[in-house]
Structure formats: structure tokens, C-alpha cells
Amino acid sequence: MNSVTRLFQTLQKDPTNVPPLFQSHGEDDPLVFYNWGIQTYQKLTSLGVRGEFHSVPNIVHELDIDTLTKLCAWINNRVPPNAQL
């Protein structure tokens, strides 16, 4: 059994303690096809994962500054300012 199958089986049993998801996907990604990213996000959210999907035009398999800025803001909105990690 692969790790993806285990993940989906675990989520089907109990998705309550799963952290929120920030998923970003380049629309021109030749390594992980864009529609696979969308399908994965849809599957995860159908199993109870809360999250956000960010579609990034003209990006391949990389992280651009705009997406990095969104990710930082997303993290900062979820972690208290004085949290000890």
C-alpha cells in the first residue's frame, strides 16, 4: 500500500485533527500536471480537509514571490505571534 492510499484511508476514518491545507499549483507545471493538483485538492477536501487552492498562471514546478507572500500571510494568520514552536 502506498502512502497516498494510506493518507486517504486515514482521512476517511477521522479527518478531525488534520491541519489546514495551503496548496499552490502552477498552471504550466510539466512535472505534476495541473489537473492532478486540482483532483488531489478536491479529493482531500471531500474527505474533510479544510484548505485553499491557489492556481498560479504562467508558472511551472516552482514557487514565485506572489505565492510565497500568500503562504507567509496564511501561516501568520494561523500561528499566534508569540507562539513557541
Side-chain angles (χ1 to χ4, degrees):
M1 178 184 317
N2 66 39
S3 59
V4 172
T5 302
R6 267 183 268 168
L7 170 66
F8 290 143
Q9 287 178 344
T10 300
L11 288 172
Q12 286 173 331
K13 291 177 187 173
D14 182 17
T16 55
N17 291 320
V18 177
L21 170 68
F22 180 98
Q23 184 176 344
S24 171
H25 205 106
E27 292 179 5
D28 297 331
D29 191 338
L31 185 62
V32 179
F33 296 124
Y34 180 72
N35 65 335
W36 292 357
I38 291 174
Q39 290 171 2
T40 299
Y41 178 78
Q42 290 170 340
K43 177 71 174 178
L44 290 170
T45 56
S46 77
L47 294 171
V49 175
R50 295 167 286 115
E52 299 176 12
F53 183 89
H54 298 270
S55 179
V56 188
N58 304 315
I59 294 290
V60 292
H61 196 78
E62 60 189 306
L63 182 63
D64 67 331
I65 191 69
D66 184 52
T67 305
L68 183 58
T69 301
K70 287 178 185 175
L71 176 59
C72 288
W74 186 85
I75 292 169
N76 286 332
N77 286 331
R78 283 157 181 78
V79 177
N82 296 322
Q84 294 185 4
L85 305 174

